[in-house]
């Protein structure tokens, strides 16, 4: 098929609607244009084809013989296009939103809020993976990633969600056994470290000028979730990602210490491929994510 054999497609669509409803006025309503715009489009198509498609008489609008024969062949094509479009839209709705996310972010923030997202957007199913390594959108079937880092030098489109702010946290039960009023009191407690955030304690203590408080007998855990769980059980003091622990602070599982939060100069970002525009599922989820994160940050600051 040569594109030169095709008529102007917008006038052809107008012709299909006008022939189906039998009225330029009704076609204008369906197409959300003026009746004169419909007339111009039909005139353009008739000029392109070199035939009259409609007879305009006292009794209204009727198709000519040539117009009727043409419409009978054109109408099924538009019906097929409409059906194909509906199938594509349906398939897109059925495809899950694939998210790469850190396990700590998922457990401490996202999962408990997912029911709210699903209630607002019942047609979108969220499918999560919790691999720690950065996502490669060119090689992996991932729509959206939530990652920690810096904005510069990234190979993805980014929207900042919140800064990486850290602060020591512990269980209220631990404070009853061994109060922690000053930094020196940390000497009497085990410091709990996460493998994937192994520099948090040294960064925080460097910022406070007390790297001497790092000890060989500190406890190390495979991830932050386990470090927070150990802190909640009273085993020691962990470094908390403040923005992820608002619910723990609110229910008294953990309490922040010293009122000296440190911004590490990193941030959590929502990231997606530079090679393609984010689809509706990604846009909807990111918008919901940012709105809810803003609310949770406000709650943390107020607590």
């Amino acid at each position: 098929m040569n594109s030169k054999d095709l008529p102007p497609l917008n006038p052809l669509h107008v012709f299909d609607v006008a022939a189906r409803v039998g009225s330029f006025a009704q076609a204008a309503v369906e197409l959300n244009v003026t009746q004169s715009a419909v007339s111009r489009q039909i005139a353009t198509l008739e000029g392109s084809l070199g035939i009259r498609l409609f007879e305009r008489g006292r009794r209204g609008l009727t198709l000519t013989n040539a117009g009727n024969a043409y419409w009978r062949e054109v109408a099924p094509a538009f019906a097929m296009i409409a059906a194909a479009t509906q199938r594509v839209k349906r398939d897109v709705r059925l495809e899950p939103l694939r998210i790469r996310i850190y396990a700590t972010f998922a457990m401490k923030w996202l999962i408990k809020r997912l029911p709210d997202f699903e209630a607002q957007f019942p047609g979108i199913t969220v499918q999560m993976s919790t691999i720690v390594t950065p996502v490669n959108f060119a090689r992996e079937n991932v729509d959206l990633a939530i990652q920690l880092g810096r904005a510069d030098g990234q190979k993805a489109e980014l929207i900042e969600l919140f800064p990486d702010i850290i602060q020591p946290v512990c269980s209220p039960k631990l404070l009853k056994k061994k109060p922690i009023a000053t930094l020196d009191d940390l000497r009497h407690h085990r410091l709990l470290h996460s493998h994937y955030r192994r520099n948090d304690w040294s960064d925080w203590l460097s910022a406070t000028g007390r790297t001497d408080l790092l000890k060989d007998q500190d406890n190390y855990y495979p991830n932050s979730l386990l470090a927070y769980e150990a802190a909640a059980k009273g085993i020691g003091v962990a470094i908390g990602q403040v923005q992820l622990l608002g619910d723990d602070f609110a229910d008294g599982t953990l309490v922040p210490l010293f009122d000296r939060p440190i911004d590490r100069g990193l941030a959590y970002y929502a990231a997606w491929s530079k090679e393609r525009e984010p689809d509706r599922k990604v846009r909807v989820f990111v918008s919901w994510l940012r709105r809810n994160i803003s609310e949770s940050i406000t709650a943390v600051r107020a607590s």
Side-chain angles (χ1 to χ4, degrees):
M1 180 186 67
N2 193 315
S3 61
K4 294 180 180 178
D5 296 328
L6 292 173
L9 296 181
N10 192 56
L12 186 64
H13 177 222
V14 174
F15 165 67
D16 175 57
V17 175
R20 174 166 47 81
V21 300
S23 163
F24 284 2
Q26 291 182 42
V29 172
E30 181 169 325
L31 295 167
N32 196 29
V33 297
T34 63
Q35 185 173 338
S36 61
V38 171
S39 296
R40 288 195 299 271
Q41 292 291 312
I42 297 300
T44 297
L45 182 60
E46 289 178 330
S48 173
L49 297 174
I51 60 172
R52 289 186 65 80
L53 298 169
F54 291 98
E55 293 289 353
R56 303 154 182 85
R58 292 181 179 179
R59 296 184 178 181
L61 191 71
T62 59
L63 286 164
T64 64
N65 289 336
N68 185 56
Y70 189 47
W71 180 62
R72 287 182 180 278
E73 293 196 64
V74 167
F78 276 103
M80 290 176 64
I81 292 170
T85 302
Q86 289 301 315
R87 283 194 297 273
V88 167
K89 289 182 176 180
R90 181 196 63 211
D91 291 345
V92 168
R93 288 194 295 268
L94 292 176
E95 281 286 309
L97 173 63
R98 288 170 281 263
I99 301 176
R100 171 74 60 80
I101 187 171
Y102 300 123
T104 302
F105 190 105
M107 291 297 295
K108 287 297 183 184
W109 195 92
L110 180 59
I111 287 178
K112 62 190 72 177
R113 292 172 174 84
L114 267 184
D116 172 72
F117 177 80
E118 292 173 347
Q120 291 187 47
F121 307 99
I124 302 177
T125 301
V126 176
Q127 186 180 90
M128 290 185 287
S129 59
T130 57
I131 302 172
V132 175
T133 55
V135 65
N136 184 329
F137 288 106
R139 296 181 180 179
E140 301 176 67
N141 192 17
V142 175
D143 301 307
L144 180 72
I146 297 173
Q147 299 189 155
L148 176 68
R150 291 184 170 84
D152 55 309
Q154 296 291 327
K155 297 180 180 179
E157 296 291 342
L158 303 174
I159 288 182
E160 182 173 337
L161 300 176
F162 55 84
D164 186 36
I165 297 174
I166 57 175
Q167 184 174 352
V169 299
C170 72
S171 165
K173 294 180 288 187
L174 182 68
L175 294 180
K176 290 181 180 179
K177 293 179 180 178
K178 293 182 180 179
I180 303 175
T182 68
L183 288 173
D184 283 315
D185 291 330
L186 290 175
R187 295 185 185 279
H188 311 299
H189 295 271
R190 281 179 285 189
L191 305 187
L192 311 178
H193 300 255
S194 165
H195 171 75
Y196 289 108
R197 296 182 61 98
R198 61 179 66 88
N199 295 323
D200 281 9
W201 264 116
S202 59
D203 287 348
W204 191 85
L205 290 171
S206 293
T208 57
R210 295 300 306 271
T211 54
D212 59 294
L213 295 174
L214 289 170
K215 305 183 291 292
D216 292 336
Q217 65 268 34
D218 290 342
N219 288 25
Y220 287 80
Y221 292 87
N223 55 54
S224 296
L225 278 175
L226 292 178
Y228 297 153
E229 184 64 20
K233 298 300 183 184
I235 293 174
V237 182
I239 278 285
Q241 301 168 68
V242 174
Q243 311 292 13
L244 296 182
L245 296 177
D247 293 336
D248 294 271
F249 297 156
D251 64 22
T253 303
L254 295 171
V255 294
L257 300 174
F258 306 119
D259 195 25
R260 298 181 71 171
I262 300 298
D263 187 336
R264 298 180 67 227
L266 304 174
Y268 280 87
Y269 294 91
W272 60 89
S273 173
K274 285 184 175 181
E275 303 302 318
R276 60 180 183 270
E277 285 293 317
D279 63 17
R280 176 182 174 274
K281 295 192 297 292
V282 171
R283 295 195 304 271
V284 164
F285 187 81
V286 170
S287 176
W288 173 87
L289 191 65
R290 296 181 75 189
R291 183 171 63 255
N292 280 268
I293 284 175
S294 176
E295 291 172 1
S296 67
I297 288 175
T298 300
V300 169
R301 288 173 178 167
S303 62

